[in-house]
Amino acid sequence: MLKFDVLIIGSGLAGMTLALHLAEQRRVCVITKRDLLEGSSSYAQGGIAAVLDTGDSVEHHIADTLVAGAGLCNEASSRFIVEHSKEAIDWLIELGVPFTRDEAHQTGYHLTREGGHSHRRIIHAADATGAAVTSTLGQKLRAHPNITLLEEHIAVDLITSAKLGQEGKRCFGAYALDKASDRIITIAAQHTIIASGGTGKVYLYTTNPDTATGDGIAMGWRAGCRVANMEFIQFHPTCLYHPHSKSFLISEAVRGEGGILKLPDGTRFMPEHDARAELAPRDIVARAIDFEMKKHGLDCVYLDISYKPAAFVREHFPNIYAHCLALGIDITQQPIPVVPAAHYTCGGLVTDLAGQTDVEGLFAVGEAACTGLHGANRLASNSLLECMVIGKAASALILTQPEQKLPEIPDWDDSQVTDPDEEVVISHNWDELRRAMWDYVGIVRTNKRLKRALHRIELLKLEVDEYYSHFHVGNDLIELRNLLLCAELIVRSAMERKESRGLHYSRDYPDTLSEAHETILTPD
């Protein structure tokens, strides 16, 4: 058994922030399913929203967040996170993150604007901000003597007082599969943090990496945590549509810098859907594209920034330009084929502003958590900000906690199971789940579609639970088990909401109710 002061499950920006803030005073273990940098944070393109310009203000940023969140944002959470935005950016700059400079600007940095924002407030590193941030922090994390990094380890389940037959509701660490040795290890900790990201892979088409399988949300639910607002899945309006490109995002900033959405015949359509046109919040743009594709029977629409000077396009979007060019698309000369794709989980495990869940000793930070910031629709580039602000707040609280004696924890018992006989069950069920979610629980929903989805999920869960009980667990089985639970939570939350709001649009309930209420589910 391994013992640490703090166990962090996930190595995105939320997990890295916590690890670096805690490591001077605590022994920290970070486990990550693949390589340290293989997570959604690394793929974030646009940047981080923060109040840096003197022409901007905390009030403006909060107002934009509340508007995008369609009346469901927690205003206190939004204020806390936005008020600490400059401090978070200053920390990254101090650590050496190479944000794009603009010496003519009062801050010394280039700020861009994205959909839903009233001001230019997105600080970025060209069009690969997430990679710049996580690679910088990753180097610090790898070099720190108090941080143990376990790559190629996937958490199987949390170790709780209930599992140990004890009274109370506390977490003592987690069991994790070491994929190299195919052995399940026990990691005990005073404090456990879920920083494992969202559930994008529950859908057939997503901008997320393969690691986004909702593991932390599922483990937290099984441990006794409530979840909130799981029906609000943000579909990014502009994912590159190309047979040889998997899940490549075309940044919000392309529209922020003047990109225009067009039909194949060159007709612009966004002004017909919203006065803000291409700069409307993501839910509106994604629904508009979905509407136009269905109306005209299209496979995709087109995002055109080719009317801008070629040098401007190459300077602002070097990675997007290079990726598209490798596929034969010169974005300085021709429009980019795009489709909506599942992008961000706005709901998650219910936490306070220090990341505390309903289970003592268990915290959740980042996309796996629901602080109330994102409401019914996330404002672009608020997510990385939330990771840092809540991550730092959680670390500050953990450092005040007295040490508690850990109980005896038994090793994982797999003496009663055998090797799987037909692994095709896993791949088949994985595919069936993702297609069902895309068809029935996508951008536009109906009662009938949701019932169909839930019926299929329940059947798949029975199969997978039986498989889990009888065979040695592997990475794909762990992920599928978690995805099925997250899918069920998404569908059950969607069935609870008898209105259309933000990212949840129902043909059966097209109107928005006068009062906004969170959807909170509680484990039995």
Side-chain angles (χ1 to χ4, degrees):
M1 183 172 69
L2 302 175
K3 286 187 179 181
F4 296 92
D5 298 318
V6 181
L7 168 63
I8 299 172
I9 300 169
S11 64
L13 183 55
M16 286 184 174
T17 298
L18 268 151
L20 291 172
H21 281 302
L22 287 167
E24 292 306 312
Q25 298 180 52
R26 296 289 187 272
R27 289 170 49 256
V28 178
C29 176
V30 177
I31 68 170
T32 185
K33 291 202 286 190
R34 294 192 181 178
D35 176 83
L36 172 63
L37 302 183
E38 183 60 29
S40 294
S41 293
S42 296
Y43 289 85
Q45 292 178 344
I48 306 171
V51 180
L52 304 171
D53 192 314
T54 53
D56 195 7
S57 70
V58 166
E59 299 305 325
H60 283 135
H61 190 166
I62 293 170
D64 292 344
T65 299
L66 298 182
V67 168
L72 204 63
C73 297
N74 181 302
E75 191 165 348
S77 299
S78 303
R79 181 170 296 280
F80 177 79
I81 291 164
V82 170
E83 283 180 344
H84 289 85
S85 61
K86 185 177 185 304
E87 174 188 312
I89 299 302
D90 288 344
W91 180 66
L92 292 181
I93 292 170
E94 186 182 316
L95 291 177
V97 174
F99 290 116
T100 298
R101 305 284 306 187
D102 179 359
E103 300 306 334
H105 193 271
Q106 62 185 26
T107 61
Y109 293 95
H110 182 265
L111 303 179
T112 192
R113 185 181 170 196
E114 295 179 343
H117 289 273
S118 58
H119 291 71
R120 283 184 172 267
R121 65 167 69 99
I122 316 300
I123 189 167
H124 61 100
D127 60 348
T129 307
V133 171
T134 54
S135 62
T136 302
L137 271 59
Q139 290 172 13
K140 306 280 186 189
L141 191 147
R142 283 189 188 278
H144 205 291
N146 268 359
I147 298 175
T148 298
L149 175 62
L150 299 178
E151 295 172 293
E152 299 294 333
H153 282 66
I154 179 171
V156 180
D157 237 336
L158 299 170
I159 300 166
T160 60
S161 46
K163 272 202 174 73
L164 301 178
Q166 297 182 355
E167 291 185 2
K169 198 173 176 181
R170 198 178 198 288
C171 181
F172 301 108
Y175 292 111
L177 173 68
D178 176 353
K179 293 196 276 186
S181 66
D182 199 31
R183 185 171 61 95
I184 293 178
I185 62 172
T186 306
I187 308 174
Q190 297 280 325
H191 302 282
T192 302
I193 292 96
I194 290 170
S196 52
T199 63
K201 292 298 284 188
V202 79
Y203 285 97
L204 186 60
Y205 301 110
T206 176
T207 64
N208 292 181
D210 291 341
T211 52
T213 52
D215 305 322
I217 295 172
M219 287 189 294
W221 173 266
R222 289 195 292 265
C225 298
R226 292 169 299 155
V227 297
N229 300 339
M230 287 293 290
E231 69 270 38
F232 298 114
I233 303 294
Q234 187 172 73
F235 288 80
H236 197 288
T238 54
C239 184
L240 177 63
Y241 179 74
H242 194 280
H244 299 132
S245 181
K246 179 185 174 186
S247 307
F248 187 76
L249 182 67
I250 304 299
S251 170
E252 189 96 15
V254 174
R255 284 181 287 123
E257 293 295 341
I260 294 170
L261 285 163
K262 296 179 177 180
L263 299 175
D265 65 3
T267 304
R268 188 184 185 191
F269 59 85
M270 274 310 303
E272 295 177 19
H273 292 270
D274 193 279
R276 292 163 290 187
E278 281 78 10
L279 289 177
R282 288 177 178 174
D283 60 323
I284 293 169
V285 180
R287 266 200 306 278
I289 294 173
D290 183 68
F291 174 86
E292 296 292 343
M293 286 172 61
K294 286 174 177 167
K295 178 182 175 183
H296 298 286
L298 305 173
D299 291 326
C300 65
V301 296
Y302 293 86
L303 180 59
D304 192 3
I305 198 166
S306 64
Y307 70 93
K308 291 270 191 178
F312 173 90
V313 174
R314 285 193 294 266
E315 180 190 351
H316 281 75
F317 309 109
N319 292 286
I320 294 173
Y321 170 76
H323 187 88
C324 290
L325 193 63
L327 297 169
I329 304 166
D330 184 348
I331 69 173
T332 68
Q333 302 291 323
Q334 60 198 113
I336 310 165
V338 294
V339 291
H343 183 58
Y344 192 86
T345 309
C346 287
L349 301 172
V350 175
T351 73
D352 63 12
L353 291 179
Q356 290 186 109
T357 69
D358 297 325
V359 176
E360 189 183 350
L362 181 66
F363 294 71
V365 182
E367 196 174 349
C370 183
T371 63
L373 171 68
H374 304 306
N377 178 33
R378 178 177 69 95
L379 181 65
S381 293
N382 265 355
S383 51
L384 295 182
L385 174 64
E386 181 188 40
C387 288
M388 291 186 293
V389 173
I390 303 299
K392 184 179 180 182
S395 66
L397 178 62
I398 288 168
L399 291 173
T400 68
Q401 302 293 300
E403 185 172 343
Q404 294 192 22
K405 188 175 186 297
L406 290 170
E408 286 298 314
I409 299 173
D411 288 337
W412 181 266
D413 181 11
D414 59 1
S415 60
Q416 305 300 311
V417 297
T418 61
D419 289 330
D421 50 2
E422 291 186 336
E423 297 203 24
V424 69
V425 172
I426 302 298
S427 59
H428 176 81
N429 287 0
W430 185 293
D431 185 61
E432 186 176 340
L433 169 68
R434 296 180 69 205
R435 287 184 182 277
M437 288 296 288
W438 185 261
D439 291 339
Y440 300 135
V441 200
I443 295 171
V444 177
R445 301 161 180 177
T446 66
N447 289 343
K448 184 180 283 188
R449 289 177 187 174
L450 293 175
K451 285 177 183 173
R452 283 176 178 163
L454 188 59
H455 178 65
R456 281 160 176 75
I457 290 165
E458 286 170 344
L459 292 175
L460 291 172
K461 276 188 72 184
L462 287 173
E463 281 190 22
V464 169
D465 285 346
E466 183 186 12
Y467 202 91
Y468 183 83
S469 300
H470 290 88
F471 300 114
H472 289 293
V473 299
N475 184 87
D476 291 349
L477 176 59
I478 294 167
E479 290 184 333
L480 177 58
R481 179 175 179 242
N482 291 333
L483 277 177
L484 279 164
L485 178 49
C486 288
E488 181 188 1
L489 294 174
I490 291 167
V491 174
R492 283 176 55 193
S493 297
M495 294 174 92
E496 291 272 321
R497 189 163 291 281
K498 306 293 195 259
E499 63 167 348
S500 290
R501 183 182 296 275
L503 299 164
H504 174 77
Y505 184 82
S506 169
R507 281 190 182 157
D508 295 302
Y509 309 103
D511 298 327
T512 301
L513 298 177
S514 56
E515 271 192 66
H517 296 286
E518 290 192 310
T519 305
I520 296 180
L521 303 182
T522 305
D524 295 331

